[in-house]
Amino acid sequence: MTVTNEQKTALIQQAKTAYKRAYAPYSKFHVGAAALTKDQNIVSGCNVENASYGLTVCAERNCIAQAVINGEQQFQTLVIYTEQEKLTPPCGACRQVIVEFFEPEAIIMAVNHLAQSKSWKVNELLPSAFTPKDLI
Ligand code: THU
């Protein structure tokens, strides 16, 4: 399934809106994410930190959880928005959660406020991943 330019623009816009809502008083590192579901809906999430630092949840995982709560478990693509000159890739924990719900060839794209972007395929982010198939 191809993602249109209009969908890409909407994903970046919604990831930016989520970025502005990030709760990151400790790291001050705001992250927004937006994902396009297989049903063509866009869901978003931001990072939510905690005084007990280890309880922090990243933008990507909150975004995916939002879709699951809405009844959607299959995704086409995901955008990560930050205002960093060095584009922000998903952390290791998020890569594992992305693998659970995205196809290996799906594109994950980091974008920033300078309209720069970098894309990876899911299977590049986490090669030889442990997946639901390994449980069978
Ligand atoms: N963070 C994300 O939200 N996504 C990532 O992929 C990288 C890290 C958040 C977690 C924490 O709130 C802050 O960025 C600094 O690590």
Side-chain angles (χ1 to χ4, degrees):
M1 240 183 266
T2 46
V3 179
T4 66
N5 281 337
E6 288 73 23
Q7 286 173 319
K8 210 182 275 184
T9 303
L11 281 162
I12 294 169
Q13 194 55 52
Q14 293 205 28
K16 185 175 178 178
T17 299
Y19 165 91
K20 290 182 187 154
R21 295 182 184 151
Y23 178 72
Y26 308 107
S27 72
K28 317 261 193 264
F29 191 93
H30 288 217
V31 185
L36 181 66
T37 68
K38 282 261 164 81
D39 290 348
Q40 314 286 349
N41 294 309
I42 294 179
V43 288
S44 63
C46 60
N47 52 331
V48 179
E49 298 187 345
N50 193 277
S52 176
Y53 299 162
L55 299 184
T56 291
V57 183
C58 293
E60 298 91 319
R61 277 177 286 148
N62 278 331
C63 175
I64 291 167
Q66 186 63 58
V68 173
I69 289 161
N70 290 344
E72 296 206 55
Q73 300 183 352
Q74 292 182 301
F75 300 87
Q76 295 186 58
T77 192
L78 181 138
V79 167
I80 302 162
Y81 179 91
T82 55
E83 298 201 346
Q84 303 293 320
E85 289 196 13
K86 182 186 178 303
L87 291 155
T88 303
C91 80
C94 289
R95 291 177 195 212
Q96 179 66 31
V97 174
I98 287 168
V99 160
E100 184 84 15
F101 294 105
F102 289 68
E103 283 173 14
E105 300 288 318
I107 299 292
I108 306 299
M109 183 168 76
V111 301
N112 68 10
H113 57 305
L114 305 171
Q116 295 166 324
S117 66
K118 186 174 163 81
S119 297
W120 305 266
K121 282 185 183 171
V122 168
N123 59 13
E124 289 171 338
L125 289 172
L126 195 60
S128 308
F130 177 75
T131 75
K133 289 187 186 132
D134 291 298
L135 293 171
I136 295 165

